[in-house]
Amino acid sequence: KGSPLAPYANDFVRAGQKYGIDPRFLVAVSGIETGFGRAGSGLANPFGYMSAKRFSGPREVLDRMGRELTKPKGYYDGRNTINQIGATWAPPRAANDAGGNAGWPAAVRRFYQEQGGNPNAVVKGSGRGAAGPVDPTDPVQQVSGQIPGGQIGAQNLQALGATMSPQVIAAI
């Protein structure tokens, strides 16, 4: 999608692994909040996390966001689906709602589904995602066979710009 976040793909995967969050969900949140890092506070806060707070960049906010989303007894404790998280992240009529919060869950669900995720599945904690386990010996084949619309290959993904590791391709 022409996102300036593309160089941070490994950071999305790393944060997802560290905190037990599907990296596709993190990407989807950046889509609704800042057009995948192209608008609003952009790379200083591509997730709209803590409203207008500016961070040093995507790595810092990914870590802070991952920690908050998975903190026991925090705002998001027990909220594991896009709709549940959205009710807390972007509640309609909240003080910081510029009129888009009501559409937040639907947009995040759509962006998540575009990446091959089941928008009804849990996105954090145990049993997250819909793609199932990825075969580390051939993650591209394992994931590409589950993406709506057919098969894709590493060559197609790498043609988008940069060389990507198999783990990044699997996350995409």
Side-chain angles (χ1 to χ4, degrees):
K1 294 187 182 266
S3 171
L5 292 169
Y8 299 94
N10 284 325
D11 297 300
F12 280 80
V13 173
R14 195 173 5 263
Q17 290 171 338
K18 180 177 180 180
Y19 293 105
I21 301 170
D22 190 326
R24 298 173 296 189
F25 169 70
L26 300 173
V27 171
V29 171
S30 78
I32 183 63
E33 293 291 344
T34 63
F36 301 98
R38 294 186 306 257
S41 55
L43 293 179
N45 190 352
F47 309 97
Y49 181 64
M50 297 177 73
S51 294
K53 180 169 175 41
R54 296 181 71 78
F55 294 90
S56 63
R59 290 181 183 109
E60 179 188 7
V61 72
L62 274 165
D63 190 67
R64 294 267 309 267
M65 197 170 91
R67 202 170 346 138
E68 184 65 30
L69 282 167
T70 57
K71 182 169 61 174
K73 301 191 189 220
Y75 289 123
Y76 302 98
D77 189 29
R79 292 171 176 87
N80 299 322
T81 67
I82 292 170
N83 286 348
Q84 290 169 342
I85 293 168
T88 300
W89 186 289
R93 298 173 302 286
N96 67 343
D97 183 5
N101 284 5
W104 192 96
V108 172
R109 289 165 58 85
R110 186 180 77 244
F111 293 140
Y112 185 71
Q113 188 170 22
E114 286 175 0
Q115 299 173 79
N118 175 348
N120 300 311
V122 299
V123 295
K124 70 181 188 85
S126 110
R128 68 187 174 277
V134 174
D135 177 355
T137 62
D138 190 6
V140 173
Q141 183 59 37
Q142 292 294 316
V143 173
S144 67
Q146 299 173 45
I147 294 178
Q151 297 286 320
I152 59 170
Q155 306 86 331
N156 305 78
L157 291 173
Q158 289 173 341
L160 296 175
T163 303
M164 293 178 270
S165 71
Q167 291 81 11
V168 173
I169 293 170
I172 292 170

